[in-house]
Amino acid sequence: MQTTYSGKEIPQLAGEKCSVIYALEVIGGKWKLPIIWKLSKKESLRYNELKRELEGITNVMLTRSLQSLEEHRLVIRKELQHIPPHVEYALTDHGRALIPALEVIKDWGQAEMERVQSLTDDR
Amino acid sequence: MQTTYSGKEIPQLAGEKCSVIYALEVIGGKWKLPIIWKLSKKESLRYNELKRELEGITNVMLTRSLQSLEEHRLVIRKELQHIPPHVEYALTDHGRALIPALEVIKDWGQAEMERVQSLTDDR
DNA sequence: CCGCATCCCCCAGGATACTG
DNA sequence: CAGTATCCTGGGGGATGCGG
């Protein structure tokens, strides 16, 4: 969607202000949904825990994505005053409201994966 | 999602083959979900009807997106033998399975839109 | 009416290096 | 540990024009 929503311009749909499209603007991009997905599994995660779970993500992208999600109130950042620094990220209620949708998409993706798998098995 | 999923590489999540991510590969990009959304409202739509509903989409992107969705069996293409040509697109059962997720995302996006709206009203 | 062929631009996302 | 600062590249997506 990726779902991503892959950024760029928001498509305009005739006859309605489409909130599906609006949502895509907020949760679009390569890493936003994976981050939400990971955060949905735990109460909270530290910066480097997230980085370890999301294989291949760079500091830049993780920071940017988290900042964007924080701006839109999907994620809350808790900075504990410690040396060395200790920062925790967690989903807000608003962010958790997306989990049911992710569950549906996950189940759907699973079925899709298995279908494709069985196709390649045939060859 | 763009959610999108905006294509490119699929993020790898540690410890699990994440089907959320897999799904994003299929429904990612700028126009896929808008197309599914529009098709979910009617039994079927013709090429130019879709083009009219999706303001700003070009022939290239509409064609590419529909082909991709057809490959993944989300959409079925019915070509009626007429002069002039008449082609209809409709969701398959597999495609319709995504509608519940879109509904959740839509409601979530609506709330988000209204929240942002009320914020800008204050200024 | 319904597309495909081409060409091209822009920016999301990556690589690398450095700090409080 | 948790980020910033820079620079760069690939391909997603747009514009235009042609053809069955």
Side-chain angles (χ1 to χ4, degrees), chain A:
Chain A
M1 230 160 12
Q2 243 120 348
T3 7
T4 229
Y5 193 56
S6 297
K8 308 235 172 178
E9 283 300 301
I10 313 167
Q12 295 299 321
L13 305 196
E16 59 173 329
K17 286 290 174 194
C18 184
S19 42
V20 173
I21 307 308
Y22 186 85
L24 291 178
E25 187 192 21
V26 176
I27 59 176
K30 182 168 171 180
W31 297 102
K32 305 258 188 72
L33 281 180
I35 288 171
I36 294 172
W37 185 244
K38 280 301 179 183
L39 286 177
S40 74
K41 301 292 190 62
K42 304 255 188 180
E43 272 305 304
S44 70
L45 285 170
R46 300 179 60 169
Y47 182 89
N48 275 337
E49 285 176 328
L50 269 172
K51 192 178 174 189
R52 229 171 294 125
E53 300 261 18
L54 304 161
E55 289 179 13
I57 196 170
T58 60
N59 284 331
V60 179
M61 288 315 297
L62 180 52
T63 301
R64 273 190 208 162
S65 304
L66 284 170
Q67 283 171 349
S68 169
L69 291 172
E70 203 191 350
E71 276 176 32
H72 291 281
R73 311 288 164 189
L74 303 200
V75 159
I76 192 167
R77 199 185 101 110
K78 288 179 259 183
E79 185 169 356
L80 282 49
Q81 294 303 344
H82 282 169
I83 310 266
H86 183 123
V87 181
E88 300 232 327
Y89 293 92
L91 289 182
T92 62
D93 288 346
H94 191 222
R96 267 190 292 274
L98 272 177
I99 297 182
L102 285 177
E103 294 287 352
V104 175
I105 292 174
K106 187 204 64 165
D107 293 342
W108 184 90
Q110 189 120 33
E112 176 73 8
M113 278 179 75
E114 284 161 9
R115 190 182 66 79
V116 173
Q117 192 60 43
S118 69
L119 283 181
T120 52
D121 284 350
D122 289 344
R123 324 206 162 217

